[in-house]
Amino acid sequence: MDGVSDDLVGAYLAELRAKLHVPAAELVLAEAEDHLRESVAAGLAIGMTEAAAQEAAISAFGPVRAVVRAHRRTRLQLAGDLVLAAWKLGWTGMFAIAGSGLVALAMDHLLGRRFVGQAPPGYSFPAAKCQYWLSTWPSAHTCAEAAMLENSSDAVSLRVFGGAVGGLVLLAGYLVARAIWRRRAVPALPGGFFPAAAVAVFGLGAVVLALITLTGSQIGVPTGPGAYLSGALVALAVAAAYAPAARRALRAPR
Amino acid sequence: MNRERERLKGHLDLLLLSVLAAGPAHGYAIIMALRARSAGTFDLPEGTVYPALHRLEDAGLLTSYWAEADGRKRRVYGLTSRGEAALAAERTEWTRFASGIQAVLGWTV
């Protein structure tokens, strides 16, 4: 017999390689080969023939279809983990919004409230809004000034309060949901999934908000560049915070 | 035999954490230790245990590194501090569960 047909473990691993479609399959196969070869060595040590030791090792390891099935994550496990990841992105985002409110407050103090709250020159506001804002800000002399004070105040108070409360509610729900889910299923997503998703989502958010700032575009209530820049800076900070974990996960062999 | 196998699968995470409490080990050594300590009761296909080890590592309960052995790559697993805490918590819960069941059944092992 030639060496190739004698190597039952080699043939088993070749079949496993052909059928195993998982991330880092080569590392899974390396682990399987190490196990099988050590099992063969143990069989030889107790007096088995080479062929008998290989057959016993393969039999104990399990049929290829059973091993492939064991490596396959169920759709339910993946769906549950994706929901948890989205939920985590949600509360992270809410706290980031609260953080951007604090950045807007710092901008108010360092750069003046116009930087955050001032509408573009020449913009005219509806009369009803002007009436409301002037009554809210009696120190304002013009509608534009009252609008600026209102916008810069909202950029701080609404974001900080709304972001903090929303973040806490989502976080509480997330912790409960995760505790319940983890009792039923171990993680089905790779460990680096959430850091990579956070880098992508918050990185994209930072880019979009930065572009809005640079082009002077307006979305919703007209405000100063600081309104979007404060968001861009916080989004960038969150993406940067997760970047090392995402890079480690992408580099690490599995 | 199938019911026993299903019961074992349900407790596989706890069993693996328990074996690794003795110290880091590679997959083959872990599975042989499981078989020896269970007096042969543990007889799941050995290749189906590795996904559980990988999932425990993803959950942060285990850590692993690659070593060389006999010219082959070998993956060695060990408990993290989170894994140690999880094992201690599972041990407490298991003791309470087993005591409760024993009290109801009135069987002694």
Side-chain angles (χ1 to χ4, degrees):
Chain A
M1 281 193 196
D2 59 55
V4 172
S5 61
D6 280 349
D7 188 8
L8 300 173
V9 167
Y12 177 91
L13 289 169
E15 187 185 349
L16 188 59
R17 175 178 277 108
K19 292 178 179 174
L20 190 66
H21 304 296
V22 295
E26 284 305 314
L27 295 174
V28 174
L29 288 161
E31 209 169 10
E33 178 170 16
D34 180 47
H35 182 113
L36 286 163
R37 299 293 182 197
E38 189 168 356
S39 187
V40 169
L44 292 172
I46 61 170
M48 286 184 176
T49 64
E50 177 73 34
Q54 291 201 34
E55 281 172 6
I58 289 167
S59 175
F61 198 76
V64 167
R65 69 176 183 284
V67 174
V68 168
R69 197 180 324 123
H71 277 92
R72 197 179 297 144
R73 285 2 182 199
T74 67
R75 285 201 192 103
L76 181 61
Q77 284 175 301
L78 280 169
D81 277 8
L82 283 171
V83 167
L84 280 178
W87 204 326
K88 188 174 180 180
L89 278 174
W91 61 255
T92 304
M94 292 306 287
F95 286 131
I97 288 172
S100 76
L102 295 175
V103 173
L105 178 64
M107 285 176 172
D108 281 348
H109 286 292
L110 294 171
L111 303 169
R113 297 183 75 162
R114 291 178 194 283
F115 187 67
V116 175
Q118 182 83 39
Y123 187 87
S124 70
F125 297 94
K129 291 249 183 214
C130 283
Q131 201 173 1
Y132 169 71
W133 290 330
L134 284 166
S135 68
T136 305
W137 300 96
S139 63
H141 301 296
T142 64
C143 178
E145 188 181 351
M148 180 268 294
L149 292 170
E150 179 77 4
N151 286 342
S152 67
S153 174
D154 283 351
V156 175
S157 60
L158 290 180
R159 290 188 200 178
V160 171
F161 182 73
V165 170
L168 286 170
V169 168
L170 285 177
L171 175 60
Y174 168 82
L175 292 173
V176 170
R178 188 183 68 172
I180 294 170
W181 183 244
R182 285 288 167 256
R183 287 191 158 276
R184 284 164 172 71
V186 289
L189 292 172
F193 178 84
F194 182 80
V199 169
V201 167
F202 288 98
L204 180 63
V207 167
V208 168
L209 290 169
L211 282 172
I212 292 173
T213 304
L214 289 170
T215 59
S217 306
Q218 297 290 333
I219 300 173
V221 176
T223 56
Y228 301 106
L229 182 60
S230 54
L233 290 172
V234 172
L236 183 64
V238 175
Y242 278 106
R247 196 166 63 216
R248 270 196 307 274
L250 285 170
R251 281 184 172 175
R254 276 275 299 107
Chain B
M1 181 66 87
N2 271 342
R3 277 207 336 234
E4 201 161 309
R5 185 170 283 189
E6 286 307 310
R7 272 196 219 114
L8 270 170
K9 277 164 68 173
H11 300 294
L12 185 56
D13 291 351
L14 172 59
L15 296 172
L16 293 173
L17 293 176
S18 181
V19 165
L20 284 166
H26 63 292
Y28 182 81
I30 294 168
I31 294 162
M32 291 304 109
L34 263 175
R35 185 162 283 150
R37 283 163 60 166
S38 68
T41 305
F42 176 86
D43 72 340
L44 292 176
E46 294 166 5
T48 64
V49 175
Y50 285 93
L53 289 168
H54 301 160
R55 285 196 298 269
L56 287 170
E57 186 175 12
D58 276 346
L61 304 183
L62 298 182
T63 185
S64 73
Y65 62 88
W66 288 92
E68 275 265 329
D70 300 325
R72 296 190 302 271
K73 287 171 76 163
R74 169 163 294 174
R75 193 169 182 174
V76 180
Y77 297 89
L79 281 183
T80 61
S81 52
R82 271 184 67 192
E84 288 172 359
L87 178 59
E90 288 284 342
R91 196 169 274 151
T92 303
E93 198 167 313
W94 176 262
T95 304
R96 196 171 58 224
F97 170 74
S99 301
I101 294 290
Q102 200 162 322
V104 171
L105 296 176
W107 296 344
T108 51
V109 177

